[in-house]
Amino acid sequence: MSEELIARAQAWLAEDPDPETREELAKLIEADDVDALAERFAGTLQFGTAGLRGELGAGPMRMNRSVVIRAAAGLAAYLKAKGQTDGLVVIGFDARHKSADFARDTAAVMTGAGLRAAVLPKPLPTPVLAFAIRHLGAVAGVEVTASHNPPRDNGYKVYLGDGSQIVPPADAEIAAEIAAVAALADVPRPESGWETLGDEVVEAYLARTDAVLKPGSPRGARTVYTPMHGVGKETLLAAFARAGFPAPAVVAEQAEPDPDFPTVAFPNPEEPGAMDLAFAAAERERPDLIIANDPDADRCAVAVHDGAKWRMLHGDEVGSLLAAHLVRRGVSGVFAESIVSSSLLGRIAEKAGLGYEETLTGFKWIARVEGLRFGYEEALGYCVDPEGVRDKDGITAALLIAELASELKAEPNSGAAAGGRTLLDLLDELAVEHGLHATDQLSVRVEDLSVIADAMRRLREQPPTVLAGLEVVRREDLNEGTETLPPTDGLRYTLDGARVIVRPSGTEPKLKCYLEVVVPVEGDVDGVPAARAKAKELIAGLKRDLAVAAGI
């Protein structure tokens, strides 16, 4: 086994085009480090609907130039097999380690395959790439990013010509073309021949961001903003300036792109501690709200002042606020969300006489809803301009939530508090109108993926009948699909006044359990605190009982 492993490693080393990963692999071979080699050569990174994502390093189980060249060659072969023999492929990248190299390799492979390639001019938000595909009439797009993953990771996200991410069967067909790539030497990679786009594509995107706002709407909300060491700052500040909002106060320690993300354990606004510097800045600046993007700026987090402290709003709360804002503006079309998001969106849509659909998790599904006007998922992803960006977009979502905060601020507050109304006031009103919808997650990060498989198996073999004192009235194994959803690895439990969904994360080594309880509000907004206390108690019970049932 050791000899075979060393031979495979040496064969990989012989064609690796990157001096850094060649040096890494050569040292492991020289040291006869079988364990490290076995980990890197245990298989290959699997190309799926999320594209590729993994830790940077040498070997087929890591993200590196060899893996990316093969992925690009497979994508090129897929496009040509579909008749796109000379179509345009647009390539974007973030500021992570190796992102620019992976983008350049992709452009070279596309050019060598006879396709036309255009690379965005610098590290830019993922939604700019999603916009550019439709704007330029491309047949496909690639974004090199690992979004909010740890610093050691990178990824490769693929879009087709409609501007949305790939879904089956395209993922399997591209994966088969990748597997068919033999030696890297067989993949033509010219030194030039592709286009590097100018700032005009960014200007076109920024011009489009204006369309998400109502002409003449209030723009007075003051914000503290953090790009979380990512690529969002320049684009977001430009969008806010164009719209006429006060310039956001940027969190200085996190303002510039840094692939090492030095101030956060995980560069994800949802992770504990990630927003601490933003909260500290808000204590100094006293804004109306805090806005954060993740590193590739396709997600948008919002925090508000709540009593004596700043509080992150759940993605479901922001999704409901944006939906209510669009309803107030009289929009038409379909509202859509993933199955793990709050059922409140469906109630808002129904009362407004709008269409509503739920999809599997991921914007690759939400973006494909016919007649889509607004889509969101609880993981801080919002699509507020589907004609421009058929994906989540943290820049336009930030503009829309700032507009809502500005409108509320300009309205008189009938309560005891001085000044205008706030996002929290609107959330309370939605609770009175539709019931208090409280959501939370039980999320377990693992080193050993078998822990996740064991938990899913245990729940399938011994499904819970009662959680938090509530009877489970319906159990669904989503592996079997439903009338409206294709099969996916997940479990859904409908309870009397609550809902639980359990699924493995598609992008991280996590088991995710999505919890929702719905508590009626007695009377007016004065009844909200009691409903919130009851919901908090039920959520705690769901977490406790579900952890026991899953063995986690």
Side-chain angles (χ1 to χ4, degrees), residues 63-99:
M63 282 297 297
N64 52 63
R65 290 183 60 198
S66 296
V67 165
V68 164
I69 290 167
R70 290 174 181 275
L75 174 59
Y78 166 84
L79 293 172
K80 291 170 75 172
K82 296 295 182 183
Q84 310 286 2
T85 53
D86 62 349
L88 175 67
V89 179
V90 188
I91 302 149
F93 57 102
D94 65 12
R96 284 178 178 267
H97 293 296
K98 298 289 183 183
S99 285

Side-chain angles (χ1 to χ4, degrees), residues 521-537:
V521 176
E522 299 294 332
D524 58 14
V525 291
D526 291 336
V528 172
R532 187 170 287 120
K534 176 64 174 176
K536 184 177 180 181
E537 176 187 327

Side-chain angles (χ1 to χ4, degrees), residues 177-188:
E177 295 287 5
I178 294 170
V181 176
L184 286 193
D186 297 337
V187 180

Side-chain angles (χ1 to χ4, degrees), residues 452-504:
I452 295 175
D454 289 345
M456 295 298 290
R457 183 172 61 252
R458 178 169 173 157
L459 288 170
R460 284 187 167 104
E461 292 175 353
Q462 299 173 287
T465 56
V466 175
L467 294 169
L470 303 174
E471 182 186 356
V472 178
V473 296
R474 187 180 183 191
R475 291 185 292 272
E476 296 169 276
D477 189 339
L478 300 178
N479 251 343
E480 300 166 6
T482 72
E483 288 182 9
T484 57
L485 298 170
T488 187
D489 187 9
L491 299 163
R492 178 162 60 182
Y493 304 112
T494 303
L495 296 87
D496 185 14
R499 183 212 65 198
V500 173
I501 294 176
V502 185
R503 61 178 282 270

